[in-house]
Amino acid sequence: MKYAAPTTVDEARSLLADNPGSRVFAGATDLIPQMRSGRPEPAVLVDLKRIDQLMAVSHGEGKWTIGAATPTADLTRNGAFSGMFPGISEGAGLIGSDQIQNRSSLGGNLCNGSPAADSVPALIAADARAVIASSDGTRTVAVAEVVTGPGQTSLADDEFIVEFEIDDAPANTGDAYLRMIPRTEMDIAVVGAAVRLTMDGDTVTDASVVLGAVAPTAVRVPDAEAALVGSRLDDDTLAAVSAAASAACNPIDDKRGTIEYRTQVAGVLAKRAAVIAADRAQNGA
Amino acid sequence: MSIGQSPVRQDAAPKADGSIQYAGDAVPDNALHAVIVFSGRPHARMVSMSTDAARAIAGVVDVITAADVPVNEYGLTMLDQPALVGVDHTGVAAVDGAISRWEADQIAVVIGESRAAAGAGAAALDVDWEDLPILGTIDDALAPDAPLLHPENGLPTNAYHPLKIRRGDLEAGWADAEVVIEGTYTVPHQEHAYLQPEAGTAYIDDEGRVTIEGGGQWTTEDREQVAHVLGLPDERVRIVYKAIGGAFGGKEDMSIQIALGLAAMRLAERGERRPIHCRWSREESIVGHHKRHRGRIHLRLGATNEGIITALEADVTLDAGAYNYTSNKVLGNAHLTVSGAYRVPNARIDSRAVYTTTVPGGAFRGFGGPQGAFAIETTMNKLAAALDIDPVKLRLLNAVVDGDEGITQAVLPEGVTAVEVITACAGRAAFNEPMADVEPFAPIATLPPEPTVTRRGRGFATSLKNVGFSFGFPERCEAEIHLHGDGDEPTSADLFHGGAEVGQGNHLAMRQMTAEVTGVTLDRIRGHFSDTATSGDPGSASASRLTFMSGNSILGAAEEAEKAWRDGQRPAIGRFRYTPPPTESLDEETGEGQPNFCYGYMAQAVEVTVDTGTGHIRVDRVTSTHDVGRAINPRMLRGQVEGAVVQAHGYVLSEDLQVSDGFITNPRLSAYLIPGIGDIPTEVDSQILELADPLGPFGARGVAEMPFITYAPAVIAAVHDATGVWFDEFPLTPSRVVAGLRNAGI
C-alpha cells in the first residue's frame, strides 16, 4: 500500500487514473477503522488534504462553496455559514466527537455511504450540489444523487468530490437537523431528520424534509413537504408530517434500534425539526 | 487524626500524567508475546488439533496446548473448567478437557517474537471439531433432552446448587394477605468495561518462582489457582499486581494468568527464559471474561391492607454460563436479597444456577444483590402503588431492626440501620414534598425535549448488602507492620499488605488507618502492596470487605508492633491475621443459618424526566444514602458512591449485551453502550451516615457495592411514577421504553 498527497486536483486525477484500486480520503476517520477491521487495503491511499481547493470555504455570487475535505469543525465554527444554515451546521457538528470533527469532512461523510451520515440530510434539504472531478473534467450533481445504497456511490472509481455548492438560503428560511441516538454523544444515528422551511409570515411557502438512518440512503419525504407547504404548522399538519415521515421509513432492525422504533421516532423527529425550522425561519437561528 | 480526612491519593498524580505502570505498560524490551486462542465454538468436542503449520510460521516460538497442562482443571470455587481444551491432555481432571463449553474456552497459547507472529500462528492452528447442541438460554439448558454440560457433578440436570428458604407458615401467610403482587422479572447481563483490559507478564524470578505480574483482586487466591494447574506448590508461584485499571469483580477469576504461567513454566523447561507478555484487546476482554448474571426471578408478595408483609414466594434462576466461576456464591446472595431488608414472617424461596453454553456469569459489584433487589424493590413499589401508600412509609412499616431475624432465621448481626437509612434518604430527597422544577432536559444538544410529551417522576428503593465473605467461607485478612525510629515513639512505618488497589483507593485508606493507629504521620507510612513474595493473604478486593477487613488486620498488626516496640525491638514488627465471627452455609432444606457477619444498609431516591416521544430517560437527581459506619476518607467514599451510581445507570438504561446462539454479538464499546459523561445523572447527592458497626475498624462497614444495588429499581419506579408503566425487564433502551409506552397507549 502506498500513500500519496497530491497538491492539485489534476495531480490527484492522474494518480487515480494511473493506479486502479486506489482510494481517496480526507480525515480517514472512517477509512482507518474500516482497514483495521479487515477491509482490503487500496493500492494507493490518496490524501486530498494538501489540495487547497478541497480545504477552502468561500462565499460569493449567491452561494457557498465548501471544499470537500474541509474539516467539519471549520464549518461549525464559521458564524456566517452556521447563521445561514444552522441545520447543516448541526448535522456536521454531530459527527463523532470534537476531536473527530477536526478531521471529518462533508465529502468523506457523504462518500462513506452510510445511511446514518449526520451531515447529509440537511445538505439534501438545502439542495446542495457536489462538484465531482472526473478523468476528463468536472461534473456537478445533486448531493441526493451521490449515494446509491449503503457504502455505494454513483462516483466512478477515478472520481472524487472537489467541493460542495449551496445556494444562499432565501429570505425567511430556516433549517434544522435532529438526531436520535441512545446516549448523548459519540454514537451513530438511529434516526436523523432534517427540515428546511421558507415562511411568509405564519405560512410555509417552501419545505424540504429529509430523513437519515431509516432507509438504505437518506430519503426525502414528499408527502410531508406537501403537507407543510401552505400550512401554518397547526397540529393537524404536524400530525401529517409525522405520519408521512414514518411511512417513508424502510429501516434495518439492529442493535441500536428496532424497525418499529425507528419508524415511530422518525415521525417524532420530523415534527420537532419542523417546529424548530419554522421558528428559525421567522426569528433567525 | 488521619482517618476522616481526604488527603490526595499517592497514585493520583501518576495516573493523571500517565506515568503509572499498568500491566499493559510494563512490557520488557526482550519480551515474547502470547496470544491466547479461543475455541470460537460455544459447544463442541475437539477431534484433533495440529500445531505444525503454526510452528512453521516465522517468529512463532512455541505453542502451548492441553498436552502441556499438568492438572487440567481450575475455578475460583469449583474445579469445573479445563485450563486448555484439547484432545491430548493428562487426564488429571474431573471435567472432560476435550469439550469447549463457550466461545472463549482457551485451546492454545501461541508464543511469538511479536504479537503479529503469535497472531499469525494462532490463525494457522488446524482444529477439527464435532459440534454439540448449543444451549444458548436457561430454557434451552433446562429442556428435558438437553445434554449435560457437567456430568462430572453427578446431577441429572444442568441446574445446580439449589438453595431453599422455608420460613414460617406460608399457608397462614397467604390467608392473612389482603393484597398480592406477583411478577416475573428478567435481568440482563452486564459487562464490567473496566478501562484496562486484561494484561500481564510472566517470567521465572531470581528464586525460580513462576511469576505473573498483572492485575487481579486477590493475590494469594490467584496464586493458588495457577499453582494447582501447574502442579506446583503455592510457594513456587508468585503473583505481583501492577497498577490495576478497574476490576469490579471482573478480575476476580482467572483470565490470562494460567495461560501465561503455563507458557513461562514450559518455555523455561525448554531453555527459553525471556519474559512473556499478553494483553487482551477490548474484544478479547469482552468475549473472554465473565459477566454479571442474567436471570429470571418470579416473585409473589402478600400483605395486609395496611401494608404489612405476610408472605413471600420467590423463584430465582441465574444463568451461570459454561462454568461456575462464583455463580454458586452470587446465587446465594441473590437468594438472600430477594426478600429485601424486611421482616418476612412466612417465606418459600427456591434458587438455582443453570449451566448454559454462554459466557459465564460471575462476580460484579453487588454480587447477586442487584438482581434480588430489583425483584423485591419493584414488587414493594408496586405494592405501594396498589395500596396507595407512600413507598417510604411502606418500607418503614416492614424494615428490619436490631434483634430481628433475617430471612434465614438467624438474628441479623448487630447494627441494623435500615430504618435510619430509609428515613435519612427520604428526608434529604424531600421525598414527601413536590418535586422541585428542573431545567428541561436536553439529552442531546440538538434533540431538545418537547415539553408537552416529557413527564417527570420519582422512585425509591432500599436494600442491604453483606460486608465480607458469606456462607461459612473461612474469612481472613493478614497485615504486617514495621515500626522504625530512634526515640521513644516510632517516626516511620512500613505496611505490608496484599489488598488489591483496583482504583477504589484502598491503599491510601490502609495507609491512613495505619497512621491513625501507630501515631506516625501519613507521609511516613510506606506501603508495600500486593506481592505474594512480601505480603500475606488479604482476601479479595470484593464483597465490600476490604476496608473492613484490612482495617481490622491493620489494627491487630499495629497492636502487635507496639508490643514489640515496648519490648525494645527495632524495627518493631507486628503481624496479624484477622478473622471475623464465623458464618454458616444454609441448611439444605430450610435455609436456616447465619450467612453473614456484617451488613451495610442503603437507600436511594431518584428523580427522572422521560421524553415519551423518543424514549429518552434523564436522571435529574439521585439521593444515595449509605450507612458506612465510619468514613475513613470521605472524598474517596463519595467517589465510590458516584462511580457505582454511574455504573448502575448503564446497567438499568443502556448496557445491552447481545448473546445469540452462544455468541456475544456486540463485543465492542461502540455497540455496547456504557454511559458517557453527558448521559450520567445530573446530580448525585451522596449522603453518608456514620452509625458505627460493632465489629468494624473505627466502626467502618463497607460501601463499594451498595450504591449500585438499589439504583435499577429506584429508576424503574420513577419511570412508573412519570408514565404509569411498569418495566419488569431492562435495560430501558429507548426502543424498549417507546414500545412499553405505546403498548400502554402513551
Side-chain angles (χ1 to χ4, degrees), chain A residues 86-87 89-91 93-94 177-188 190-191 253-262 264-266 268-269 271-272 275-276 280, chain B residues 442-450 453 611-616 618 654 656 658 665-666 668-679 734-736 738-739 742-743:
Chain A
S89 189
E90 280 165 345
L94 286 171
Y177 175 73
L178 296 179
R179 174 185 77 169
M180 162 63 213
I181 56 173
R183 57 183 177 192
T184 55
E185 57 181 348
M186 298 287 289
D187 203 357
I188 297 165
V190 173
V191 179
D253 200 358
D254 78 354
K255 295 173 182 70
R256 288 191 165 74
T258 59
I259 289 172
E260 187 184 29
Y261 180 78
R262 289 172 191 262
Q264 288 183 9
V265 172
V268 172
L269 294 200
K271 186 170 66 174
R272 292 186 190 178
V275 172
I276 297 168
R280 289 172 176 168
Chain B
I444 301 167
T446 58
L447 189 45
E450 164 57 45
V453 298
D611 182 328
T612 60
T614 62
H616 273 122
R618 180 81 208 167
S654 68
D656 196 8
Q658 318 251 334
T665 61
N666 58 341
R668 284 169 294 279
L669 295 181
S670 59
Y672 177 84
L673 301 179
I674 60 173
I677 193 70
D679 302 306
S735 289
R736 175 168 282 135
V738 167
R742 295 300 177 270
N743 283 342

Side-chain angles (χ1 to χ4, degrees), chain A residues 69-154:
Chain A
T70 304
T72 50
D74 288 0
L75 277 185
T76 56
R77 282 197 294 256
N78 185 319
F81 179 84
S82 296
M84 189 178 288
F85 301 107
I88 297 175
S89 189
E90 280 165 345
L94 286 171
I95 299 170
S97 61
D98 287 355
Q99 292 91 332
I100 291 290
Q101 285 168 39
N102 287 319
R103 308 282 296 176
S104 62
S105 63
L106 294 186
N109 198 223
L110 180 64
C111 292
N112 184 50
S114 167
D118 281 311
S119 68
V120 174
L123 281 175
I124 294 175
D127 290 325
R129 301 176 295 275
V131 178
I132 296 167
S134 304
S135 54
D136 53 353
T138 61
R139 63 191 181 96
T140 301
V141 304
V143 166
E145 288 165 22
V146 173
V147 178
T148 55
Q152 306 293 319
T153 71
S154 58

Side-chain angles (χ1 to χ4, degrees), chain B residues 139-376:
Chain B
D139 291 330
D140 289 349
L142 294 179
D145 60 342
L148 295 179
L149 291 176
H150 289 279
E152 76 277 6
N153 71 11
L155 297 174
T157 153
N158 287 312
Y160 71 102
H161 201 66
L163 294 171
K164 294 181 182 177
I165 296 283
R166 300 289 181 268
R167 176 177 168 83
D169 181 343
L170 199 62
E171 275 187 34
W174 288 123
D176 292 342
E178 293 168 305
V179 57
V180 176
I181 304 292
E182 184 164 10
T184 300
Y185 301 92
T186 304
V187 290
H189 281 120
Q190 189 183 20
E191 152 66 24
H192 302 81
Y194 20 67
L195 276 175
Q196 181 206 16
E198 293 77 357
T201 301
Y203 56 92
I204 309 298
D205 79 356
D206 294 342
E207 297 186 23
R209 292 175 288 215
V210 175
T211 302
I212 299 158
E213 295 186 357
Q217 297 182 226
W218 185 356
T219 49
T220 50
E221 172 63 30
D222 292 357
R223 178 174 68 173
E224 188 180 319
Q225 290 193 69
V226 172
H228 180 79
V229 174
L230 268 51
L232 296 173
D234 285 357
E235 313 80 65
R236 304 310 300 155
V237 174
R238 180 180 171 195
I239 301 289
V240 183
Y241 288 165
K242 309 294 282 185
I244 299 167
F248 312 115
K251 293 175 181 171
E252 205 161 296
D253 288 86
M254 296 288 95
S255 55
I256 62 171
Q257 297 93 328
I258 290 174
L260 273 175
L262 279 167
M265 181 176 79
R266 290 307 189 199
L267 262 63
E269 289 167 2
R270 295 160 197 171
E272 173 60 77
R273 298 179 72 89
R274 281 182 282 175
I276 303 164
H277 182 73
C278 179
R279 182 169 59 201
W280 273 357
S281 67
R282 180 61 65 180
E283 285 84 346
E284 286 172 310
S285 174
I286 293 179
V287 170
H289 85 266
H290 67 267
K291 303 289 172 269
R292 185 186 300 286
H293 290 81
R294 66 175 172 184
R296 188 166 57 209
I297 299 175
H298 185 81
L299 187 61
R300 186 164 179 246
L301 184 73
T304 65
N305 281 331
E306 289 70 43
I308 303 295
I309 295 170
T310 62
L312 179 147
E313 282 184 72
D315 187 275
V316 180
T317 306
L318 295 184
D319 182 352
Y323 300 104
N324 181 63
Y325 283 63
T326 48
S327 291
N328 50 346
K329 307 292 184 183
V330 174
L331 180 77
N333 199 34
H335 186 68
L336 295 182
T337 51
V338 77
S339 54
Y342 305 118
R343 286 189 298 264
V344 179
N346 309 298
R348 175 192 178 97
I349 304 173
D350 288 284
S351 305
R352 83 285 300 157
V354 176
Y355 283 125
T356 63
T357 61
T358 62
V359 60
F364 195 154
R365 198 177 208 162
F367 207 73
Q371 292 95 329
F374 175 61
I376 181 64

Side-chain angles (χ1 to χ4, degrees), chain B residues 550-574:
Chain B
S550 69
N552 277 321
S553 70
I554 286 166
L555 286 175
E559 193 178 327
E560 295 298 314
E562 279 168 21
K563 272 186 219 158
W565 180 270
R566 287 196 298 275
D567 291 346
Q569 194 189 96
R570 296 293 182 275
I573 296 175

Side-chain angles (χ1 to χ4, degrees), chain A residues 1-5 15 19 22-23 25 41-47:
Chain A
M1 185 175 65
K2 289 182 185 165
Y3 167 85
L15 274 164
N19 299 281
S22 298
R23 196 165 163 196
F25 74 96
E41 291 179 354
V44 181
L45 275 177
V46 181
D47 184 345

